[in-house]
Amino acid sequence: MTRIYPQFVVAKFGGTSVADFDSMNRSAGIVLADDHVRLVVLSASAGVTNLLVELSEGLESRDRMDKIDTLRTIQYNIISRLKAPLVISKEIDQLLENIARLAETALATPSTALSDELVSHGELMSSLLFAEVLREREAQAEWFDARKVIRTNNLYGCAEPNISLVEDQAEPHLRPRIEQAIVITQGFIGRDDAGHTTTLGRGGSDYTASLLGEALQAARVDIWTDVAGIYTTDPRIVAQAQRIDHISFSEASDMAAFGAKVLHPATLLPAMRKNIPVFVGSSKNTAAGGTLVRRETEDPPLYRAIAIRRKQTLLRLHSLHAQPAYLFFAEMFAILAAHQVDVDLVTTSESCIALALNSTGSTSGEDHTLTTALLTALSSHCRVEIETGLALVTVIGNQLHRGTGVCRDTFVDLDEYAVRMIFHGASNDNLCFLLPSDVADGAVIALHRRLFE
């Protein structure tokens, strides 16, 4: 008999939550404990995406086979714990053969499209295995290829979903299925108009869960990871970091955008559009609670959190000629637009533009922004300076522009650090600064002590 689930939950499990059989089994228990969970979105098992990215870069035969053997070991350590492994092992073997073929091609003719096709296999394998784990626990589970629904552009490595197409495809393809079974699908991957596989960038599985929640009007999206919620800063840097039990969409969105790894930066946009609460908890310890992200919270504090984002580049463009500033700015931004450079943060003087560029969002994690063609075009109009190895530290709060002593609180304990650039004013709710990455942790520790301890 068909059951109707008008208030269903989308549950997303990260790489550590599906890292091995015990992790998958524990996550399956979370799914089965809540009858409202009808759609499950999975990341690749921990470590798998990194291996696939390395293979996509074109490795020589010996290194290539070592990586593939490691991938096979991860999958078969899970398969060996299943009661009836025969059918699923054939499917996993086929995917491993595809990986080997694509990895060999990557050595001869690498491309971003091939990279996305190869890297997508991590989620395909984990979702097949997880569906089998659920079936062995006598759950009615159905595997589903997310690429039928997640339609994107062809910006490989960091593709943008077509929201209206996602909604159009989700209703006929997914709605009937979630009324009949628990549907297991992949995060992170999609398909462009030409039928090629795309990826949404690092951490994109969170985004997939939120997109599907929006398209199907879910009651809640649960993000299960290895941390029991969202903290005032990364607890791996500051042991005294405090869990935030309730946080607004805007606060959490700022935290994600400026480097908090607990959520993909775009995750909250779909949830915000449909006002869908997002819960973040630990699959390893559900009793520890977590953080509920919603539209508003009571009595939002002046300071909410500190985020850190590494792999930042400072690009400084100096005018070569005496000309009005507006002409120089227009000329530079026209070149940047022509080369599809996504400028993150910017400050200007009469004869110089300083830009902060972020390279953390792409699937490879590498900065492909400063191409030879771009630098050649810029150099014909200005003097170019490039500084790498930087980190962006951001203080996130509420109405910081009205708070007194914000700059004092932020910088009073940072005398020993060489701050390269400060951004404040474009947003009322954050203050950012660049400094060398190798000293960024110390700055975060000092800043957290000042603001939260």
Side-chain angles (χ1 to χ4, degrees):
M1 178 180 176
T2 298
R3 295 178 64 186
I4 305 300
Y5 292 87
Q7 293 294 307
F8 81 97
V9 173
V10 178
K12 178 266 175 178
F13 293 91
T16 55
S17 299
V18 291
D20 49 36
F21 180 84
D22 290 332
S23 298
M24 283 195 175
N25 204 37
R26 189 163 49 242
S27 296
I30 294 172
V31 172
L32 297 176
D34 186 350
D35 286 342
H36 291 99
V37 176
R38 306 300 299 169
L39 180 58
V40 178
V41 177
L42 297 184
S43 297
S45 298
V48 166
T49 298
N50 288 340
L51 289 166
L52 292 170
V53 168
E54 290 183 67
L55 286 168
S56 74
E57 293 168 350
L59 301 179
E60 296 294 338
S61 178
R62 183 172 179 177
D63 288 342
R64 186 167 68 245
M65 296 313 300
D66 284 346
K67 303 296 182 189
I68 293 171
D69 285 344
T70 302
L71 286 171
R72 182 177 288 106
T73 298
I74 293 171
Q75 309 312 310
Y76 269 86
N77 282 343
I78 298 170
I79 291 172
S80 66
R81 301 279 299 277
L82 295 171
K83 299 172 187 173
L86 186 59
V87 174
I88 193 68
S89 63
K90 290 181 179 178
E91 294 184 78
I92 296 299
D93 283 345
Q94 182 61 57
L95 291 173
L96 288 168
E97 288 176 16
N98 290 347
I99 290 170
R101 175 178 53 81
L102 291 167
E104 186 174 359
T105 304
L107 179 61
T109 54
S111 72
T112 54
L114 185 147
S115 177
D116 275 11
E117 175 71 25
L118 201 162
V119 172
S120 72
H121 282 67
E123 279 69 20
L124 295 173
M125 291 189 292
S126 66
S127 56
L128 283 166
L129 291 167
F130 190 79
E132 196 63 26
V133 170
L134 279 173
R135 292 187 192 111
E136 290 201 349
R137 294 183 61 161
E138 300 182 351
Q140 191 170 354
E142 179 179 348
W143 184 87
F144 180 79
D145 190 337
R147 292 172 293 188
K148 294 180 180 178
V149 171
I150 304 297
R151 310 304 292 271
T152 75
N153 63 11
N154 62 357
L155 187 60
Y156 301 111
C158 200
E160 288 291 332
N162 183 319
I163 305 301
S164 61
L165 272 181
V166 170
E167 292 187 352
D168 289 345
Q169 297 298 315
E171 195 62 36
H173 287 295
L174 277 174
R175 178 76 67 185
R177 286 178 165 86
I178 65 174
E179 292 175 357
Q180 299 286 347
I182 300 170
V183 176
I184 312 303
T185 194
Q186 310 80 38
F188 179 61
I189 69 175
R191 178 175 288 152
D192 65 15
D193 290 341
H196 299 139
T197 297
T198 59
T199 64
L200 306 182
R202 286 284 184 160
S205 293
D206 295 349
Y207 193 16
T208 301
S210 188
L211 284 167
L212 295 177
E214 176 188 33
L216 296 168
Q217 300 178 28
R220 194 179 70 243
V221 174
D222 292 346
I223 307 291
W224 294 101
T225 180
D226 57 355
V227 180
I230 299 173
Y231 284 72
T232 48
T233 197
D234 188 339
R236 291 167 296 187
I237 298 174
V238 181
Q240 294 76 22
Q242 303 154 22
R243 213 240 331 271
I244 304 168
D245 291 334
H246 298 90
I247 190 170
S248 71
F249 282 135
S250 61
E251 291 170 327
S253 183
D254 266 4
M255 289 185 68
F258 287 109
K261 295 184 182 300
V262 72
L263 289 174
H264 181 278
T267 298
L268 295 171
L269 297 178
M272 290 168 69
R273 289 193 290 261
K274 292 288 178 69
N275 194 23
I276 301 171
V278 175
F279 175 79
V280 181
S282 170
S283 64
K284 296 180 179 180
N285 185 10
T286 57
T291 298
L292 186 65
V293 188
R294 55 191 183 184
R295 178 164 288 174
E296 295 177 349
T297 59
E298 296 180 4
D299 301 320
L302 179 63
Y303 302 119
R304 175 62 88 184
I306 302 165
I308 180 170
R309 195 172 68 195
R310 304 182 194 277
K311 294 186 178 180
Q312 305 300 288
T313 298
L314 177 59
L315 179 66
R316 301 179 70 201
L317 310 176
H318 300 268
S319 178
L320 296 175
H321 312 290
Q323 60 177 321
Y326 68 86
L327 290 178
F328 176 59
F329 296 164
E331 196 173 56
M332 293 300 98
F333 282 105
I335 294 173
L336 294 168
H339 290 264
Q340 298 182 316
V341 176
D342 188 9
V343 175
D344 193 39
L345 297 163
V346 58
T347 64
T348 67
S349 67
E350 190 171 337
S351 60
C352 180
I353 303 172
L355 311 164
L357 305 177
N358 174 33
S359 65
T360 60
S362 67
T363 295
S364 68
E366 298 300 321
D367 187 4
H368 301 295
T369 303
L370 298 178
T371 62
T372 300
L374 170 63
L375 295 177
T376 300
L378 289 173
S379 297
S380 66
H381 296 276
C382 66
R383 179 167 60 85
V384 178
E385 285 185 288
I386 301 169
E387 187 175 347
T388 59
L390 299 174
L392 184 74
V393 175
T394 304
V395 176
I396 295 152
N398 294 277
Q399 302 295 305
L400 294 182
H401 68 302
R402 294 181 179 174
T404 58
V406 170
C407 288
R408 178 201 62 217
D409 291 346
T410 302
F411 295 109
V412 67
D413 293 330
L414 303 183
D415 286 350
E416 64 186 271
Y417 299 99
V419 175
R420 297 293 298 110
M421 198 170 181
I422 298 171
F423 307 87
H424 186 43
S427 167
N428 294 335
D429 300 321
N430 60 65
L431 185 157
C432 319
F433 56 94
L434 278 174
L435 75 171
S437 189
D438 58 356
V439 298
D441 284 4
V444 170
I445 291 168
L447 193 51
H448 192 275
R449 186 185 306 117
R450 166 66 59 175
L451 300 184
F452 297 107
E453 297 173 32

